Amino acid sequence: MKTALVLTCLLTLTAPAFAGPKKSDPIATVPFELHDNRIFVSITLEGQGPFTVIFDTGGSNVITPEVRELLGSKVLGTDNTTGAGEGSVETSTVRLGSMALGAFQMQDQEFLVVDLGAIRSAFRFERLDGLIGYEVLQRARAKIDFDRKVIELFEPEPGRKRTGKLQPFQLVEQRPVIPGTIDGRSSKILIDTGDRSNLTIFERFAKSSGLDAAFRGSAAILTGVGVGGPIPGKIATIARLKLGEIAIQNVVARLPTTNSGLFATSDLSASVGIGLLQGFNLEFDYQNGLLSLEPRKGFKQESVFVPVPK
């Protein structure tokens, strides 16, 4: 894969010095909109668009069948996949020559083709043409600034020294996972900008840790809709969540009651979604395995569960 990440300036003995871009300057500054606790950005594919996609740190390149048909992309293969819902869905794979997120460009990209119609309908999104995530983040350092409603993309700087509150993370199946605790239980927590909730407790961890007891008095409701269908679950308040060294009190969480899919089968403990993450300005540095969570000054948000629209 090739990508235009570095701009160079040419100097000669006779030409005046030209102040080219510095590594501290962003490659691209991309505006975003928040809808139902999801980050929506515009991209172009094969020079066409714009297409409206979710910036999802828990996901990777996805387009819908409608976009594939519009682009006329050749199907390379077919398969089935699972997501947050209980069911599996048919998928296909295509290879696109180019993808651009603002001034940030990538070439020769594989995209999974997945029908996202049920999600678009359930949350009344005007457009939902796909997802982007891992492929962008592995090529550029990304700052998500909720105050300015922009994503800034920077050149990767392996070995770059950093200051401030930084949380080391590991990539687990291409997803960023940090250590933490949930009501004192040691946890492996996915940082997922594609999750609309504050905190989602995964079922295996809930049972093995005894955290499922906190949800026993709650009735099962519809907590979301994902790839694979509806996500029933229960709601309860977790007294204390720690993300690395950052402690957060009284977090409203959900415990999905699905029998299959990510939340039922994963060995991770939980995921933290935009419901909670939007209280911070975030920086993802995949090259150095570091996540920065900077609390937003003056931002106050009550931890609540946002129902699925009826």
Side-chain angles (χ1 to χ4, degrees):
M1 294 182 291
K2 300 179 180 178
T3 182
L5 291 181
V6 181
L7 298 177
T8 61
C9 58
L10 299 178
L11 301 176
T12 69
L13 293 176
T14 58
F18 174 73
K22 301 177 182 178
K23 281 192 174 182
S24 58
D25 295 332
I27 304 164
T29 300
V30 182
F32 69 80
E33 295 185 3
L34 276 179
H35 294 296
D36 190 65
N37 285 352
R38 263 52 96 88
I39 296 174
F40 282 85
V41 296
S42 293
I43 64 172
T44 59
L45 299 168
E46 307 282 42
Q48 298 188 53
F51 299 104
T52 300
V53 299
I54 295 173
F55 191 84
D56 182 1
T57 59
S60 56
N61 284 345
V62 171
I63 57 172
T64 64
E66 294 83 359
V67 173
R68 187 209 67 80
E69 184 175 354
L70 177 65
L71 297 176
S73 304
K74 180 181 178 180
V75 173
L76 303 178
T78 59
D79 203 347
N80 286 277
T81 191
T82 58
E86 288 188 315
S88 63
V89 296
E90 292 184 0
T91 65
S92 58
T93 303
V94 298
R95 185 175 294 277
L96 303 183
S98 67
M99 186 275 282
L101 176 60
F104 176 76
Q105 299 185 25
M106 300 177 68
Q107 286 76 46
D108 195 26
Q109 292 290 297
E110 280 197 0
F111 277 77
L112 202 63
V113 181
V114 181
D115 185 354
L116 303 176
I119 299 173
R120 183 178 64 246
S121 176
F123 297 103
R124 302 174 187 172
F125 295 142
E126 183 177 347
R127 293 275 302 271
L128 178 55
D129 298 317
L131 312 170
I132 58 173
Y134 171 74
E135 290 82 0
V136 172
L137 290 161
Q138 71 167 338
R139 301 303 297 271
R141 182 165 49 91
K143 289 185 177 181
I144 303 176
D145 189 327
F146 286 99
D147 291 318
R148 296 165 54 210
K149 295 291 190 296
V150 297
I151 299 173
E152 292 182 315
L153 299 175
F154 297 83
E155 288 185 39
E157 297 181 57
R160 176 173 178 254
K161 293 183 179 180
R162 305 290 305 284
T163 60
K165 288 189 176 181
L166 301 173
Q167 311 299 333
F169 67 79
Q170 293 183 333
L171 288 176
V172 178
E173 296 182 349
Q174 301 182 347
R175 301 178 176 113
V177 175
I178 68 173
T181 62
I182 302 173
D183 274 356
R185 281 86 161 177
S186 180
S187 306
K188 296 180 290 185
I189 302 172
L190 168 64
I191 305 299
D192 187 359
T193 62
D195 186 342
R196 67 193 292 269
S197 306
N198 304 295
L199 176 66
T200 301
I201 310 293
F202 291 8
E203 294 178 63
R204 286 182 177 177
F205 173 75
K207 292 178 181 179
S208 64
S209 67
L211 272 174
D212 57 341
F215 296 84
R216 285 177 187 158
S218 301
I221 61 172
L222 179 64
T223 68
V225 177
V227 172
I231 306 169
K234 298 182 178 182
I235 306 299
T237 298
I238 297 300
R240 194 166 192 262
L241 168 68
K242 285 193 71 177
L243 301 175
E245 298 304 315
I246 297 175
I248 305 165
Q249 311 293 332
N250 300 320
V251 178
V252 173
R254 65 172 175 169
L255 173 63
T257 56
T258 50
N259 294 314
S260 58
L262 175 68
F263 300 135
T265 61
S266 176
D267 289 328
L268 297 178
S269 308
S271 66
V272 168
I274 289 292
L276 186 148
L277 292 174
Q278 65 182 299
F280 303 86
N281 290 320
L282 310 170
E283 179 179 345
F284 291 89
D285 183 349
Y286 276 38
Q287 287 71 33
N288 294 299
L290 293 172
L291 168 67
S292 171
L293 298 100
E294 179 186 353
R296 295 170 64 187
K297 294 180 180 179
F299 181 81
K300 294 182 179 179
Q301 180 185 18
E302 183 181 359
S303 184
V304 296
F305 169 71
V306 180
V308 177
K310 294 183 178 180

